Every structure is written in C-alpha cells, then in structure tokens.
Amino acid sequence: ASIAYREHGEALFDHGAGGADFADYLLEDILASQVPAVRAFLLDTALLDQFCAPLCDAVTGSDDGTAMIEALERANLFIVRLDREQIWHRYHHLFQNFLRLKKKAQGIEAVQPLYLRASAWYEQNAMPAEALHHALAGGSRERAVRLLESHGYSLLRDGNFKELHGWLQAIGRGGIISSPILCALDAWTQLYLGDAIAA
C-alpha cells in the first residue's frame, strides 16, 4: 500500500465514498509502517490545524520537530507547506482526520495535555486566538477565561465584535458570569451588536 501511495499520491483520495475503505486501509498501512517515534509524532501533532517546528516541540515535549518535519517531507507523508519560508505546515485533511481519530481513541487523558501545551505555546508567541481555540479544545474553560480576560478588550477596541461574541459563546454562560471582566465584555459586545436588552 505504501508503494501504491508513492505511485498515485493524493489521487487515491479523489474516488469519493467508494474509495474510502481503500484509503483507510492505505493510511493504516502507512501509519503502521513508521518507526514508533514518527508514529507518535504524527498522532500528537495531528491535533494541530497547522504547525511549525517549535510548536511541535512544545506539544510533543521533544526537540526534534525540525528533523521530523523534514523527514515527513522527504517521505512525502501527506504534509503541505503553508508559506514560502517553509515554517508552517499542515497535513492533508483526510490524513489529519484519520490521525485525529486514532489519537482521540486513546482517551481524553492522552489528548487534553497536547491541546493545553499548544495553547500555552500560542499564548507565549502572541497568538491569543489560537491559544483560546486550543484551551477550549483541551477542555480548560478556566484557561480560556483567563486568556479572554487578558485579550478581550483589544478585540473590542479593534471592533472585532463578532469574533469576541463567538469566543464568549464558546466559553459559555458559566464562564462569563465567573468573571466581571467577561461580563463587561459581553455587555459591550451585545450593545455593539444591537441587542440592548441583552446588554
């Protein structure tokens, strides 16, 4: 199956539902054929919509992100470059979905720490929206509340009312009422969006 992938590439994924079983078989074979370190790297980093070497290092707790990404590119393992500088990458969506299902099957205790490490890395690198997204994906409403307390007013000041409203909705009513700052942000957002009664 690995040879079939090298010969046919992503065309294998263009056959619609009829080719789904073969695609699953192919992906299972490709994953199983990797050495344990590469297999673990693929499963851990598949939770990221996009990734760079330092982010991979933070999530996996290792320092081989650069080498792993380069190895995956050489092996043509469903990895896509997202910029000319070759800093950011992502996996082919079908491969990513396959890997995510495999990882999530290991249980929340295997998945949650990865999301929270990603959230911490994004926060440290001044990417609050991504930090929020991964905090919520990791089930940490407390972390999401703290992030929005720190960065919500900048969204409000810049006029990003719909984005702010979306984050508040994602955090939920319980998280909002636990924070006076989020209550104020929610009220201002509702007002700017035209719902004075909710405000």
Side-chain angles (χ1 to χ4, degrees):
S2 297
I3 294 173
Y5 168 67
R6 293 189 185 97
E7 290 179 350
H8 301 290
E10 293 193 14
L12 288 166
F13 297 110
D14 295 333
H15 299 303
D21 290 342
F22 178 67
D24 286 345
Y25 164 76
L26 174 67
L27 295 174
E28 288 278 6
D29 178 74
I30 289 173
L31 183 62
S33 69
Q34 306 306 311
V35 298
V38 172
R39 190 158 58 243
F41 181 87
L42 288 168
L43 291 169
D44 287 352
T45 58
L47 298 175
L48 305 168
D49 293 330
Q50 60 182 25
F51 53 86
C52 61
L55 174 56
C56 291
D57 289 344
V59 169
T60 64
S62 185
D63 60 356
D64 58 358
T66 297
M68 283 290 189
I69 291 171
E70 291 175 352
L72 294 178
E73 286 193 303
R74 285 194 302 272
N76 199 21
L77 268 179
F78 304 103
I79 190 170
V80 180
R81 294 177 182 175
L82 297 179
D83 54 24
R84 291 183 178 179
E85 295 77 17
Q86 303 178 32
I87 295 174
W88 289 95
H89 300 75
R90 67 169 176 81
Y91 294 119
H92 183 287
H93 294 306
L94 289 176
F95 189 45
Q96 181 185 49
N97 290 339
F98 167 80
L99 293 172
R100 284 184 175 182
L101 287 174
K102 286 285 185 184
K103 187 63 184 181
K104 289 180 178 179
Q106 297 177 6
I108 187 65
E109 67 279 356
V111 173
Q112 188 176 47
L114 304 178
Y115 279 122
L116 297 184
R117 289 176 204 156
S119 177
W121 186 89
Y122 277 121
E123 181 183 13
Q124 292 164 8
N125 286 271
M127 303 172 75
E130 291 82 357
L132 267 164
H133 170 74
H134 286 83
L136 290 168
S140 179
R141 188 166 68 177
E142 295 79 8
R143 180 174 177 77
V145 166
R146 182 180 62 75
L147 284 164
L148 202 52
E149 285 178 336
S150 299
H151 301 284
Y153 277 111
S154 64
L155 291 172
L156 187 70
R157 185 175 58 251
D158 294 339
N160 297 320
F161 308 123
K162 289 185 178 179
E163 182 181 0
L164 179 56
H165 181 66
W167 286 123
L168 288 164
Q169 292 292 105
I171 286 174
R173 200 69 198 157
I176 293 172
I177 64 175
S178 72
S179 165
I181 294 175
L182 294 198
C183 286
L185 287 171
D186 192 32
W188 279 109
T189 301
Q190 297 284 6
L191 186 62
Y192 279 117
L193 292 177
D195 194 340
I197 293 177

